[in-house]
Amino acid sequence: GAIEIGEVLKIETPLSVIDSFAHELHTLQLMSIARLGRQGEPFDERVLARVATLHAKYPHLTIAVDGGVNKENVERLVEAGAVRLVVGSALAEFLWMKNR
């Protein structure tokens, strides 16, 4: 009864790890930070090439990016092929500023 099947890859994980089962995936989330579990970690620019590579190789995948996503990099992520963007600290900062 699953609606979507997905996987998450850390920034250091080779993209080739999904080659044998990519045809079964609907979504793939790429982490764009090195240290997981903390708000405010710096965005790792390497994810842009990773998104573009996956988008070209597996056009059926819905590609998501999580970590360091903000107004400075969102356009480049979308241009590379990402369609889901996870925003944590940028949204928290916006809400904090709004409610000051």
Side-chain angles (χ1 to χ4, degrees), residues 39-100:
Q39 293 291 326
E41 290 295 307
F43 180 76
D44 191 324
E45 296 280 333
R46 294 178 296 170
V47 77
L48 294 165
R50 290 167 63 81
V51 170
T53 298
L54 284 170
H55 182 63
K57 190 171 184 177
Y58 302 112
H60 74 280
L61 284 179
T62 297
I63 300 173
V65 176
D66 182 5
V69 175
N70 59 37
K71 64 183 179 182
E72 284 78 33
N73 56 38
V74 68
E75 189 172 323
R76 293 181 295 147
L77 286 164
V78 171
E79 287 173 358
V83 296
R84 290 187 185 163
L85 305 173
V86 180
V87 181
S89 58
L91 181 59
E93 181 180 333
F94 168 77
L95 292 173
W96 181 83
M97 294 295 287
K98 182 179 177 189
N99 293 314
R100 272 180 27 165

Side-chain angles (χ1 to χ4, degrees), residues 4-6 18-27 58 60-61:
E4 288 186 341
I5 299 171
I18 68 161
D19 287 344
S20 66
F21 59 91
H23 63 282
E24 298 179 34
L25 296 175
H26 297 103
T27 65
Y58 302 112
H60 74 280
L61 284 179

Side-chain angles (χ1 to χ4, degrees), residues 9-17 30-36 44 46-47 50:
L9 300 181
K10 293 179 180 179
I11 192 73
E12 298 294 338
T13 303
L15 299 177
S16 61
V17 301
L30 297 176
M31 297 307 297
S32 51
I33 56 175
R35 291 179 18 186
L36 304 182
D44 191 324
R46 294 178 296 170
V47 77
R50 290 167 63 81

